[in-house]
């Protein structure tokens, strides 16, 4: 496994790898969800690269950039065990040199949900992911379904800007009690960790209604809200039943729906979603 820091080193190492190349972009503090993306990439590509970079421009001024969990030695050991070919750990100066001034804004699909709650977040994501795509020139790039809007934004950017690669969105990996894996779960106290299962329970309640034939999106949102309201530690930012591609809020579900929610448990903001109705 080659671990490089500069863009020049990355380009040289990447040029030496022939055959299909899969990229797994990460912010480090790897968990089973990240490792599932690496394994999927390895199953589909001749070589796999991982970026580890806590991207400052996707954090708002009052968000958790300074305390975002980091453990590079552990991350590298995990990736070494999986026999990843190439890891890029750029510095901020490498990614955003002093006169940096170009950003990627994916307009409509970035506006609701996370976009409304975290201004600039998805612009920061799209910008760094575009830079990672240009640096690694992957044939395929792997993202988790847990960040459903991020995946929709990246798909739209790839289509609009003609990046010659395929975006692969992989299933959310969950703890045994249903909590979606996230590097931010480490912030939760034991009591909050128990309360955090409310996101999964709310999604399951709405899915049960959907499976029973409910297609009124207002009622699906209400099913989630009802479960969330019963958890005193949960402060709801949004519940949504939207079109999975455009993220426009639905009145009625014709075929497919993205049920998603953002909830604060104490000081920790968690998101989760189920995508229903896919063939
Ligand atoms: O999902 C993440 O970890 C980040 O948003 C990403 C895609 C690595 C960009 O910084």
């Amino acid at each position: 496994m080659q671990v490089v820091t500069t863009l020049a080193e990355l380009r040289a190492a990447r040029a030496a790898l022939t055959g299909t190349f899969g990229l797994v972009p990460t912010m480090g503090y790897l968990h089973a969800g990240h490792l599932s993306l690496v394994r999927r990439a390895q199953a589909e590509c001749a070589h796999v690269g991982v970026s580890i970079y806590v991207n400052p421009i996707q954090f708002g001024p009052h968000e958790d950039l300074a305390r975002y969990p980091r453990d590079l030695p552990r991350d590298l050991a995990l990736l070494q065990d999986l026999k990843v070919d190439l890891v890029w750990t750029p510095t901020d100066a490498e990614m955003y040199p002093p006169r940096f001034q170009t950003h990627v804004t994916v307009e409509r699909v970035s506006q609701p949900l996370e976009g409304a709650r975290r201004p600039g977040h998805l612009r920061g994501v799209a910008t760094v992911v575009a830079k990672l795509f240009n640096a690694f020139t992957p044939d395929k790039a792997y993202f988790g379904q847990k960040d459903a809007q991020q995946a929709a934004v990246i798909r739209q950017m790839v289509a609009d800007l003609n990046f010659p690669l395929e975006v692969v969105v992989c299933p959310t990996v969950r703890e045994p009690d249903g909590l979606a894996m996230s590097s931010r779960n480490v912030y939760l106290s034991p009591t909050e960790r128990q309360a955090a299962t409310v996101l999964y329970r709310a999604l399951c309640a709405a899915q049960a209604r959907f499976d029973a034939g409910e297609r009124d999106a207002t009622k699906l949102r209400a099913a989630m809200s009802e479960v969330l309201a019963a958890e005193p530690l949960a402060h709801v930012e949004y519940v949504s039943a939207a079109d999975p591609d455009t993220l426009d809020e639905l009145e009625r579900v014709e075929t497919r729906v993205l049920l998603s929610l953002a909830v604060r448990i104490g000081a920790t903001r968690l998101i989760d979603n189920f995508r229903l109705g896919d063939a």
Side-chain angles (χ1 to χ4, degrees):
M1 182 172 87
Q2 217 175 331
V3 183
V4 297
T5 306
T6 69
L7 181 58
E9 288 167 331
L10 174 71
R11 288 203 198 279
R14 170 69 183 96
L17 298 172
T18 52
T20 52
F21 188 90
L23 170 64
V24 181
T26 82
M27 297 208 299
Y29 212 70
L30 303 179
H31 52 65
H34 297 113
L35 303 184
S36 77
L37 301 182
V38 171
R39 288 197 193 89
R40 172 83 175 264
Q42 288 178 319
E44 296 182 354
C45 303
H47 299 289
V48 171
V50 174
S51 59
I52 299 179
Y53 180 59
V54 181
N55 174 35
I57 71 164
Q58 70 184 73
F59 288 79
H62 306 296
E63 293 185 356
D64 56 344
L65 173 61
R67 68 176 192 130
Y68 193 83
R70 293 162 169 88
D71 191 345
L72 187 59
R74 180 177 161 278
D75 290 346
L76 294 178
L78 289 168
L79 297 176
Q80 175 85 63
D81 285 350
L82 287 180
K83 299 190 172 45
V84 163
D85 299 274
L86 182 55
V87 180
W88 189 28
T89 60
T91 60
D92 286 342
E94 185 79 40
M95 194 61 92
Y96 302 114
R99 291 183 58 249
F100 182 87
Q101 54 193 288
T102 304
H103 295 85
V104 179
T105 301
V106 181
E107 296 193 346
R108 270 191 47 203
V109 76
S110 295
Q111 280 167 12
L113 307 177
E114 293 300 290
R117 290 286 172 167
R118 303 183 65 190
H121 167 64
L122 289 163
R123 173 185 186 254
V125 170
T127 301
V128 81
V129 170
K131 287 176 68 82
L132 293 170
F133 286 172
N134 283 332
F136 278 93
T137 63
D139 299 290
K140 294 186 173 204
Y142 296 81
F143 298 89
Q145 172 63 27
K146 184 181 152 272
D147 294 294
Q149 188 173 17
Q150 166 173 288
V153 164
I154 292 166
R155 273 193 202 290
Q156 190 67 47
M157 176 184 80
V158 164
D160 291 349
L161 299 184
N162 311 115
F163 280 103
L165 59 91
E166 184 189 336
V167 174
V168 182
V169 180
C170 303
T172 303
V173 177
R174 298 181 180 282
E175 301 286 357
D177 63 5
L179 179 67
M181 296 243 178
S182 164
S183 305
R184 289 186 167 103
N185 291 350
V186 72
Y187 298 150
L188 297 165
S189 71
T191 321
E192 291 169 344
R193 170 64 188 79
Q194 277 204 318
T197 60
V198 75
L199 281 83
Y200 179 69
R201 289 186 281 113
L203 289 165
C204 288
Q207 178 172 34
R209 300 286 289 272
F210 181 87
D211 289 346
E214 183 60 76
R215 292 297 181 268
D216 180 338
T218 306
K219 292 194 175 147
L220 296 174
R221 287 185 285 267
M224 292 189 275
S225 299
E226 199 179 308
V227 174
L228 294 167
E231 172 48 68
L233 292 185
H235 299 279
V236 181
E237 287 199 358
Y238 63 78
V239 295
S240 162
D243 178 285
D245 300 319
T246 65
L247 299 187
D248 291 338
E249 217 54 43
L250 296 174
E251 280 180 29
R252 266 200 84 70
V253 180
E254 294 308 330
T255 44
R256 302 174 315 137
V257 61
L258 179 74
L259 302 175
S260 66
L261 68 184
V263 179
R264 284 186 192 278
I265 304 284
T268 305
R269 185 177 188 277
L270 300 174
I271 60 171
D272 200 354
N273 68 84
F274 281 0
R275 202 180 144 132
L276 305 180
D278 289 299

